[in-house]
Amino acid sequence: QVQLVESGGGLVQPGGSLRLSCSASGSIVRAVAMAWYRQAPGKQRELVARITSGASTNYAETVKGRFTISGDNAKNKVDLQMNSLKPEDTAVYYCHAIIHYQNYWGQGTQVTVSS
């Protein structure tokens, strides 16, 4: 049974930084890709950033230049460094992984950007 465990959310002032971490347990198969999504109240879940097993990355336009995704797909771990945070970044952030053709989601971690 694969489980994704996230950590690092919290409350931060505008312009501040947070680092989210996610680790997958229960699988010895390397993830094809790992990603972070987010969902704000009343909005659809959206992709924030993704990293593949080949270390290719892609980002939502709204976070380019501010967020950096990094990972160790061999260990099924992924981090999201978030800088210059804005109130509109407030959301629940979810870790996602594709392992052996299956999609897995974390339980979500709240990020709130407010003064």
Side-chain angles (χ1 to χ4, degrees):
Q1 182 74 14
V2 176
Q3 287 188 319
L4 301 183
V5 180
E6 302 131 332
S7 62
L11 173 65
V12 64
Q13 292 186 341
S17 298
L18 280 175
R19 187 176 185 88
L20 304 182
S21 295
C22 173
S23 180
S25 62
S27 174
I28 60 172
V29 177
R30 184 173 179 174
V32 172
M34 298 189 75
W36 288 95
Y37 285 74
R38 68 185 180 187
Q39 187 167 19
K43 294 188 177 182
Q44 290 188 330
R45 190 173 297 189
E46 62 175 359
L47 175 68
V48 175
R50 176 187 289 120
I51 185 166
T52 70
S53 58
S56 296
T57 60
N58 62 289
Y59 296 89
E61 287 295 324
T62 53
V63 307
K64 278 184 179 179
R66 300 188 297 122
F67 291 10
T68 303
I69 190 169
S70 60
D72 185 343
N73 281 41
K75 296 182 179 180
N76 289 342
K77 293 183 178 181
V78 64
D79 293 338
L80 184 69
Q81 178 66 41
M82 304 184 294
N83 298 329
S84 302
L85 282 161
K86 304 175 181 180
E88 50 264 42
D89 295 317
T90 296
V92 178
Y93 284 69
Y94 296 90
C95 180
H96 174 261
I98 300 174
I99 300 173
H100 199 57
Y101 309 110
Q102 298 293 318
N103 288 282
Y104 297 94
W105 292 93
Q107 79 284 0
T109 185
Q110 177 71 44
V111 171
T112 302
V113 185
S114 175
S115 56

